[in-house]
Amino acid sequence: MSNKKTVIILFLCCCSCASKVPVKEDRLYIYLTGSSKYFLLPAVDIENPLDMAQSISAEWQGNGYSFNAWVKADKAGMEMVLLNELGVNMGELSFRDGLVSFSSPLFPKSLKPEYIIADFQLCFYSAGALRQALEDCGLSFENSGSIRRILQGKTVIIEIEKNQNAVRLTNHLRGYTYTLKGSFK
């Protein structure tokens, strides 16, 4: 067989082989567990619009943090302005049209704002949309109205308690808790 024929045959074999080309995922996601890829939901899945001041307290690795925020969230997107106790801007977060914008002179550059958005969605987005998104990443969702639980198998990894004046999210897997205080009627 001539070299020319060999090259043509190899070329045809390579071109005819079935192969998987990785698909670039345009939607934003985070990992709720080491292997559970949660895709951020669109803004239209919010349960009730919010336009309010919130007091936020957080606990992580034995340390406590507190600050305030102004949150505006509706079917168009979410805007959050983080403020200290004196009203000084500590950062701004936006999630619109599937895009995230986060700027802060105080928070570390390594902080991925997608995780803040995911936690917000777990607290305030519709149960039906959350259930489907969580099932799609291999987790399950329980909702009793005032308590939401995200489970990996039978283990509760995230628990959210809601009432008219406060929302408390506890991430058992990652070891943090935060409480949002406001008027959540």
Side-chain angles (χ1 to χ4, degrees):
M1 193 182 311
S2 72
N3 282 343
K4 194 175 192 178
K5 286 182 183 177
T6 304
V7 169
I8 291 172
I9 290 171
L10 284 173
F11 176 76
L12 290 173
C13 287
C14 288
C15 290
S16 65
C17 291
S19 63
K20 274 190 162 180
V21 177
V23 176
K24 183 178 181 256
E25 187 58 62
D26 290 334
R27 296 181 341 181
L28 296 173
Y29 63 88
I30 56 117
Y31 284 95
L32 287 174
T33 69
S35 61
S36 298
K37 193 183 216 181
Y38 171 80
F39 287 92
L40 296 181
L41 295 169
V44 297
D45 289 324
I46 193 163
E47 200 166 43
N48 296 306
L50 299 172
D51 191 358
M52 62 187 291
Q54 294 180 6
S55 171
I56 302 170
S57 59
E59 295 174 28
W60 183 62
Q61 294 183 342
N63 296 311
Y65 307 91
S66 63
F67 50 93
N68 298 305
W70 189 273
V71 178
K72 180 173 174 39
D74 55 28
K75 294 189 181 300
M78 180 186 78
E79 304 286 334
M80 186 181 294
V81 178
L82 306 172
L83 307 163
N84 69 13
E85 285 80 22
L86 299 174
V88 176
N89 187 326
M90 294 175 35
E92 296 178 16
L93 173 65
S94 172
F95 180 57
R96 294 202 173 277
D97 301 322
L99 300 173
V100 174
S101 172
F102 180 64
S103 64
S104 172
L106 300 175
F107 289 94
K109 299 283 185 217
S110 61
L111 175 68
K112 290 187 71 171
E114 292 87 347
Y115 281 89
I116 297 169
I117 294 164
D119 282 347
F120 181 86
Q121 290 185 354
L122 295 174
C123 292
F124 298 108
Y125 274 41
S126 75
L130 286 169
R131 179 172 282 107
Q132 186 60 56
L134 291 165
E135 286 175 2
D136 289 348
C137 68
L139 301 173
S140 55
F141 178 71
E142 295 176 354
N143 181 35
S144 70
S146 62
I147 296 179
R148 293 179 168 191
R149 289 186 181 95
I150 292 91
L151 298 95
Q152 183 177 35
K154 294 184 180 193
T155 303
V156 176
I157 59 169
I158 298 171
E159 187 167 34
I160 300 157
E161 300 171 61
K162 298 169 68 171
N163 65 45
Q164 292 181 358
N165 302 314
V167 176
R168 181 177 175 89
L169 180 142
T170 303
N171 188 318
H172 299 288
L173 184 66
R174 307 270 189 232
Y176 66 86
T177 299
Y178 63 83
T179 303
L180 310 172
K181 291 183 181 175
S183 180
F184 299 105
K185 294 176 186 178

